[in-house]
Amino acid sequence: MAVAEKALGEAGRRAKVEAIIAANQGKPGALLPILRGIQREFGYLAEADLLAVAQALGLPMSKVYGTATFYSLFALKPKGKYVIRVCESAPCHVEGFPEILEAIKAELGIGLGETTPDWKFSLETTSCIGVCGVAPAIMINDEVYGNLTPEAIPQILAQYK
């Protein structure tokens, strides 16, 4: 759970979600901006958030849940402070994606889709980060690292520890 979320408490989170809904309600296609707003605020979409959105927009929960799970940028559980996205595009695969992924797993002691116990790192793959010329590559939040070797991973991650 993010520090900001702990400070807000459940009532504070609900108030923020309601404010995001109110700011977008009535606009065409309001569902996506609302989900993006909640995701931006808390880093993930809690089930209670999805239910509040469904009720406010008069949509079935299945529609809201289906939208939240269709887009890979939405998360349904909290993530670490730093989200590591390992590119698994064809060029990254050819240039060493599996070795990079294993080096990160070994360094952090977590698997794909997991978060470290201290909530610092979450590990996931992504289909492409658009830097094929420097494959293999990863992103840590918005920072891109390319031309990677497994040996470079501990040094990169140490910057975030």
Side-chain angles (χ1 to χ4, degrees):
M1 183 180 293
V3 173
E5 187 179 355
K6 282 182 184 174
L8 280 175
E10 190 174 319
R13 182 182 176 113
R14 179 69 184 219
K16 288 262 187 184
V17 168
E18 288 174 359
I20 292 167
I21 292 170
N24 291 283
Q25 199 165 15
K27 295 179 182 174
L31 179 56
L32 283 176
I34 290 170
L35 294 179
R36 280 196 314 262
I38 297 169
Q39 173 87 24
R40 188 176 324 114
E41 185 71 30
F42 298 104
Y44 76 104
L45 306 168
E47 185 177 335
D49 301 338
L50 299 180
L51 187 57
V53 171
Q55 289 171 343
L57 297 182
L59 296 171
M61 179 65 166
S62 60
K63 166 91 173 155
V64 175
Y65 183 81
T67 302
T69 56
F70 178 79
Y71 295 101
S72 64
L73 291 178
F74 291 132
L76 299 182
K77 61 182 186 179
K79 293 184 179 182
K81 180 178 181 182
Y82 303 108
V83 177
I84 302 169
R85 293 181 175 89
V86 184
C87 184
E88 60 177 348
S89 68
C92 283
H93 250 287
V94 169
E95 295 295 330
F97 158 83
E99 294 82 9
I100 298 302
L101 180 59
E102 289 308 313
I104 295 170
K105 287 178 173 178
E107 184 68 20
L108 298 178
I110 59 173
L112 272 177
E114 295 180 347
T115 299
T116 55
D118 62 0
W119 291 96
K120 207 153 205 182
F121 296 98
S122 293
L123 179 60
E124 39 187 65
T125 59
T126 186
S127 57
C128 183
I129 58 175
V131 292
C132 299
V134 295
I138 64 172
M139 282 182 75
I140 301 178
N141 291 351
D142 294 330
E143 193 71 34
V144 174
Y145 297 89
N147 293 319
L148 294 174
T149 63
E151 295 76 24
I153 295 302
Q155 200 171 23
I156 291 169
L157 295 180
Q159 300 172 54
Y160 296 91
K161 290 184 176 177

